[in-house]
Amino acid sequence: MLAAMTTQPEQQIGVGTQDAFQRLWTPHRMAYIQGENKPTGPEAGDGCPFCGIPDMSDQDGLVVARGRHVYAVLNLYPYNGGHLMVVPYRHVADYTELDGPETAELADLTKRAMVALRKASGAHGFNIGMNQGAAAGAGIAAHLHQHIVPRWGGDTNFMPVVGHTKVLPQLLADTRQMLADAWPVD
């Protein structure tokens, strides 16, 4: 039986100094914090997740769309709901290493991602970019990936500011299906 919701925060013994804060536990984030599934080195054979995803089903790999040279995939640790990445199949670390067809398709899938996100979620704007190298904040520096993060007016609230927590309103599998259904075709 589910416990009834109360307006009073539950005080838990053993969690530190008791206070008026309610805790939102996100144990799934520990995998990211501890670097689970991170590559062990810079080569494709060093456990690069971006090299392994194309061999998975779209559902298992959270792939939204596949091109000839690049693919669009949901971020497993999203900044916002619908946070996509466009990733080349080829294991390259730097944007300057892409050839012409890869560069063109990366741009094309980025545009398509924006169209799909607007259609599926009504996104008002986007943060789009790449972190080139570990010093620039790339979580997986050895394999280039471009982030497409949808934004909405008023989407900043107290949770990330005070609680360092993002509230995501939908399961990743449901988000993947919604975006795949909204993906524009030629």
Side-chain angles (χ1 to χ4, degrees), residues 5 11-12 24 29 37 40 43 62 66 68 74 76 79 96 107 112 123-124 131 149-150 152 154-155 164 184-186:
M5 294 289 290
Q11 299 295 330
Q12 295 182 357
L24 177 62
R29 294 283 301 159
N37 298 321
T40 57
E43 303 301 320
L62 298 175
R66 295 176 188 258
R68 184 172 176 177
L74 283 178
L76 192 55
Y79 295 130
T96 62
R112 290 173 187 263
H124 297 152
N131 299 324
V149 182
W152 297 267
D155 71 354
H164 302 285
V185 294
D186 291 333

Side-chain angles (χ1 to χ4, degrees), residues 77-178:
Y77 305 104
Y79 295 130
N80 262 354
H83 178 173
L84 289 168
M85 296 177 294
V86 178
V87 184
Y89 291 112
R90 192 164 60 95
H91 186 85
V92 297
D94 196 88
Y95 185 70
T96 62
E97 296 177 48
L98 293 178
D99 63 25
E102 289 168 327
T103 303
E105 193 170 62
L106 186 132
D108 182 57
L109 259 66
T110 298
K111 288 170 55 176
R112 290 173 187 263
M114 293 172 66
V115 169
L117 284 160
R118 282 189 181 120
K119 180 179 178 183
S121 69
H124 297 152
F126 299 91
N127 293 116
I128 297 174
M130 298 177 204
N131 299 324
Q132 293 283 269
I140 299 174
H143 198 132
L144 176 81
H145 53 286
Q146 176 160 270
H147 296 266
I148 299 105
V149 182
R151 301 301 304 263
W152 297 267
D155 71 354
T156 301
N157 58 47
F158 76 95
M159 288 298 287
V161 174
V162 175
H164 302 285
T165 302
K166 278 284 188 177
V167 177
L168 301 172
Q170 193 172 43
L171 295 173
L172 290 175
D174 295 338
T175 302
R176 191 214 69 80
Q177 188 62 55
M178 178 183 72

